[in-house]
Amino acid sequence: MPELPEVETTRRRLEPDLVGQTFTAVTIRWPRSIMTPVAALLTILPGLKIESLDRRGKYLLIRLSQNFTLCLHLKMSGQLTIEPTSTPPHHHVRTAFSLANGSELRFRDSRKFGRVYLVENVDEVVGTLGPEPLGHDFTAKSFLALCHSRKGRLKPLLLDQHFIAGIGNIYADESLFQARIHPGRAISSLSTREVSRLYQAIRHVLDQAITLNGTTLDDVYPDGAYQNHFQVYGRRDQPCHSCQSMIQRIVLAGRSTHFCPHCQKST
DNA sequence: CTAAAATCCTGGTGGC
DNA sequence: TGCCACCAGGATTTTA
């Protein structure tokens, strides 16, 4: 379940090995994950050089020569590794990008939800995303205005990538706990003070998660430590670290939602 | 506009 | 031990 912190950690891990490299070939084992015409990917990508690695929300953006960008979304179970071409690929490697130095960028994804795009205009992929929650232009003031522009409950909104980019189920629940706001609250019911708390919580939670290299669950993602700092996510029927009340789990927006009924007031 | 449900997928789990 | 129903979960699509 890679969210913004996991994608950012992945970006930082891959960057030194990828920048300056040139793609030589692509091996596609699960064509449905390729959102660009497969023939175009196979013919265009070889020869393109990697210039930089960026991130937008949960998308990894590999900037290439000739103004192309390879966009990758890890969705639920995607992982990216760089391995020598001579190393036999794991069973779940769906796409392998060969590099001129004899290694491969391998997209491993057991659940096959991951997506690959090769575009000249990245807005085709990320153009409708909401603001970057850690960006300089995402301020308390702009968040307040954003909150006034939308209706609905907080949990579904935080998961909506057009509202804010990069937040998923884990960091939505953790942010709402830190802001001491119930996930089922209507956004229109928030006081200015609560909006401010939520803004600070989102920034702090994501920032700390990046510092800890993200969350590792079910070995899907390497080296993360944020799972050791969960306050509510996955802690159903365990005592709140703040007040000892039992953490509750409900379903909102069709997603498991964890909260402390004492610390997070519903009104 | 919001919202709920269905869809895509498979590894892991719990029940028996 | 084996079988199977069920579930998680990001984002899109469909339906209300």
Side-chain angles (χ1 to χ4, degrees), chain A residues 196-219:
Chain A
S196 176
R197 281 215 305 271
L198 183 54
Y199 170 80
Q200 298 293 343
I202 289 168
R203 302 260 293 192
H204 182 262
V205 163
L206 294 177
D207 199 58
Q208 189 190 12
I210 290 173
T211 299
L212 294 170
N213 294 321
T215 294
T216 295
L217 288 179
D218 302 327
D219 283 336

Tab-separated table of all heavy atoms in Angstrom, chain A residues 196-219:
chain	number	residue	atom	x	y	z
A	196	SER	N	-7.022	23.895	10.890
A	196	SER	CA	-5.603	24.178	11.120
A	196	SER	C	-4.900	22.974	11.735
A	196	SER	O	-3.786	22.617	11.335
A	196	SER	CB	-5.476	25.404	12.032
A	196	SER	OG	-4.125	25.633	12.340
A	197	ARG	N	-5.568	22.337	12.687
A	197	ARG	CA	-4.977	21.139	13.314
A	197	ARG	C	-4.787	20.029	12.291
A	197	ARG	O	-3.783	19.325	12.280
A	197	ARG	CB	-5.887	20.629	14.442
A	197	ARG	CG	-5.796	21.383	15.743
A	197	ARG	CD	-5.967	20.442	16.946
A	197	ARG	NE	-7.189	19.645	16.906
A	197	ARG	CZ	-8.352	20.033	17.420
A	197	ARG	NH1	-8.457	21.206	17.986
A	197	ARG	NH2	-9.396	19.241	17.351
A	198	LEU	N	-5.789	19.872	11.398
A	198	LEU	CA	-5.698	18.825	10.391
A	198	LEU	C	-4.554	19.111	9.419
A	198	LEU	O	-3.804	18.204	9.039
A	198	LEU	CB	-7.026	18.711	9.641
A	198	LEU	CG	-7.121	17.606	8.587
A	198	LEU	CD1	-6.767	16.237	9.176
A	198	LEU	CD2	-8.520	17.579	7.970
A	199	TYR	N	-4.428	20.351	9.052
A	199	TYR	CA	-3.323	20.751	8.168
A	199	TYR	C	-1.971	20.396	8.802
A	199	TYR	O	-1.120	19.765	8.172
A	199	TYR	CB	-3.398	22.254	7.897
A	199	TYR	CG	-2.181	22.812	7.198
A	199	TYR	CD1	-2.032	22.677	5.820
A	199	TYR	CD2	-1.167	23.449	7.922
A	199	TYR	CE1	-0.911	23.167	5.188
A	199	TYR	CE2	-0.046	23.943	7.287
A	199	TYR	CZ	0.079	23.805	5.925
A	199	TYR	OH	1.191	24.285	5.289
A	200	GLN	N	-1.794	20.811	10.035
A	200	GLN	CA	-0.533	20.526	10.724
A	200	GLN	C	-0.305	19.020	10.858
A	200	GLN	O	0.817	18.525	10.700
A	200	GLN	CB	-0.524	21.169	12.120
A	200	GLN	CG	-0.623	22.683	12.121
A	200	GLN	CD	0.599	23.358	11.525
A	200	GLN	OE1	1.660	22.756	11.391
A	200	GLN	NE2	0.431	24.623	11.137
A	201	ALA	N	-1.396	18.282	11.144
A	201	ALA	CA	-1.279	16.836	11.342
A	201	ALA	C	-0.850	16.138	10.058
A	201	ALA	O	0.017	15.262	10.065
A	201	ALA	CB	-2.606	16.271	11.838
A	202	ILE	N	-1.466	16.515	8.940
A	202	ILE	CA	-1.117	15.902	7.655
A	202	ILE	C	0.361	16.122	7.354
A	202	ILE	O	1.098	15.189	7.015
A	202	ILE	CB	-1.990	16.494	6.524
A	202	ILE	CG1	-3.432	16.003	6.656
A	202	ILE	CG2	-1.427	16.125	5.156
A	202	ILE	CD1	-4.421	16.759	5.775
A	203	ARG	N	0.803	17.345	7.495
A	203	ARG	CA	2.204	17.666	7.208
A	203	ARG	C	3.144	16.901	8.144
A	203	ARG	O	4.154	16.344	7.707
A	203	ARG	CB	2.430	19.173	7.350
A	203	ARG	CG	1.543	20.018	6.443
A	203	ARG	CD	2.204	20.507	5.224
A	203	ARG	NE	3.253	21.469	5.441
A	203	ARG	CZ	3.785	22.182	4.451
A	203	ARG	NH1	3.325	22.046	3.207
A	203	ARG	NH2	4.759	23.026	4.683
A	204	HIS	N	2.792	16.898	9.422
A	204	HIS	CA	3.682	16.263	10.395
A	204	HIS	C	3.757	14.755	10.202
A	204	HIS	O	4.835	14.158	10.228
A	204	HIS	CB	3.228	16.597	11.818
A	204	HIS	CG	4.123	16.030	12.872
A	204	HIS	ND1	3.851	14.852	13.531
A	204	HIS	CD2	5.318	16.458	13.351
A	204	HIS	CE1	4.830	14.591	14.381
A	204	HIS	NE2	5.736	15.542	14.293
A	205	VAL	N	2.590	14.133	9.986
A	205	VAL	CA	2.551	12.676	9.827
A	205	VAL	C	3.337	12.252	8.584
A	205	VAL	O	4.148	11.315	8.627
A	205	VAL	CB	1.086	12.184	9.753
A	205	VAL	CG1	1.005	10.772	9.185
A	205	VAL	CG2	0.446	12.243	11.140
A	206	LEU	N	3.113	12.932	7.462
A	206	LEU	CA	3.817	12.556	6.229
A	206	LEU	C	5.316	12.803	6.360
A	206	LEU	O	6.137	12.000	5.912
A	206	LEU	CB	3.251	13.334	5.035
A	206	LEU	CG	1.805	13.012	4.661
A	206	LEU	CD1	1.348	13.904	3.519
A	206	LEU	CD2	1.653	11.538	4.278
A	207	ASP	N	5.662	13.908	6.994
A	207	ASP	CA	7.068	14.244	7.172
A	207	ASP	C	7.779	13.214	8.044
A	207	ASP	O	8.866	12.738	7.714
A	207	ASP	CB	7.153	15.642	7.808
A	207	ASP	CG	8.512	16.260	7.620
A	207	ASP	OD1	8.921	16.404	6.446
A	207	ASP	OD2	9.172	16.563	8.627
A	208	GLN	N	7.126	12.844	9.135
A	208	GLN	CA	7.739	11.854	10.021
A	208	GLN	C	7.833	10.501	9.327
A	208	GLN	O	8.819	9.773	9.481
A	208	GLN	CB	6.923	11.717	11.315
A	208	GLN	CG	7.650	10.874	12.356
A	208	GLN	CD	6.789	10.522	13.550
A	208	GLN	OE1	5.574	10.709	13.549
A	208	GLN	NE2	7.426	9.990	14.583
A	209	ALA	N	6.811	10.169	8.535
A	209	ALA	CA	6.824	8.887	7.827
A	209	ALA	C	7.980	8.821	6.831
A	209	ALA	O	8.640	7.789	6.691
A	209	ALA	CB	5.494	8.659	7.119
A	210	ILE	N	8.238	9.925	6.151
A	210	ILE	CA	9.375	9.941	5.215
A	210	ILE	C	10.681	9.785	5.986
A	210	ILE	O	11.578	9.037	5.579
A	210	ILE	CB	9.368	11.242	4.388
A	210	ILE	CG1	8.198	11.237	3.401
A	210	ILE	CG2	10.687	11.403	3.631
A	210	ILE	CD1	8.016	12.555	2.652
A	211	THR	N	10.771	10.484	7.111
A	211	THR	CA	11.973	10.373	7.942
A	211	THR	C	12.237	8.923	8.343
A	211	THR	O	13.378	8.481	8.424
A	211	THR	CB	11.827	11.244	9.203
A	211	THR	OG1	11.679	12.607	8.808
A	211	THR	CG2	13.032	11.097	10.117
A	212	LEU	N	11.154	8.172	8.554
A	212	LEU	CA	11.279	6.773	8.974
A	212	LEU	C	11.243	5.817	7.778
A	212	LEU	O	11.018	4.625	7.937
A	212	LEU	CB	10.157	6.435	9.955
A	212	LEU	CG	10.232	7.176	11.301
A	212	LEU	CD1	8.964	6.962	12.116
A	212	LEU	CD2	11.452	6.722	12.079
A	213	ASN	N	11.442	6.355	6.574
A	213	ASN	CA	11.466	5.541	5.352
A	213	ASN	C	10.141	4.845	5.074
A	213	ASN	O	10.113	3.779	4.453
A	213	ASN	CB	12.589	4.496	5.408
A	213	ASN	CG	13.947	5.152	5.399
A	213	ASN	OD1	14.163	6.137	4.701
A	213	ASN	ND2	14.874	4.629	6.193
A	214	GLY	N	9.050	5.410	5.555
A	214	GLY	CA	7.741	4.871	5.226
A	214	GLY	C	7.331	3.713	6.117
A	214	GLY	O	7.922	3.458	7.159
A	215	THR	N	6.297	3.012	5.668
A	215	THR	CA	5.694	1.911	6.419
A	215	THR	C	5.973	0.594	5.713
A	215	THR	O	5.791	0.488	4.507
A	215	THR	CB	4.169	2.114	6.509
A	215	THR	OG1	3.895	3.278	7.294
A	215	THR	CG2	3.493	0.907	7.132
A	216	THR	N	6.416	-0.391	6.463
A	216	THR	CA	6.588	-1.730	5.924
A	216	THR	C	5.520	-2.641	6.499
A	216	THR	O	5.431	-2.826	7.705
A	216	THR	CB	7.987	-2.286	6.288
A	216	THR	OG1	8.980	-1.497	5.641
A	216	THR	CG2	8.124	-3.727	5.832
A	217	LEU	N	4.659	-3.177	5.640
A	217	LEU	CA	3.636	-4.135	6.052
A	217	LEU	C	3.710	-5.328	5.111
A	217	LEU	O	3.844	-5.178	3.912
A	217	LEU	CB	2.240	-3.523	5.975
A	217	LEU	CG	1.866	-2.467	7.016
A	217	LEU	CD1	0.452	-1.957	6.752
A	217	LEU	CD2	1.970	-3.039	8.418
A	218	ASP	N	3.647	-6.525	5.665
A	218	ASP	CA	3.624	-7.741	4.856
A	218	ASP	C	4.833	-7.819	3.911
A	218	ASP	O	4.742	-8.390	2.835
A	218	ASP	CB	2.335	-7.814	4.025
A	218	ASP	CG	1.100	-7.761	4.920
A	218	ASP	OD1	1.181	-8.275	6.043
A	218	ASP	OD2	0.097	-7.189	4.485
A	219	ASP	N	5.948	-7.194	4.313
A	219	ASP	CA	7.173	-7.262	3.506
A	219	ASP	C	7.016	-6.675	2.113
A	219	ASP	O	7.817	-6.921	1.231
A	219	ASP	CB	7.673	-8.710	3.373
A	219	ASP	CG	8.355	-9.161	4.647
A	219	ASP	OD1	8.825	-8.282	5.396
A	219	ASP	OD2	8.432	-10.380	4.874
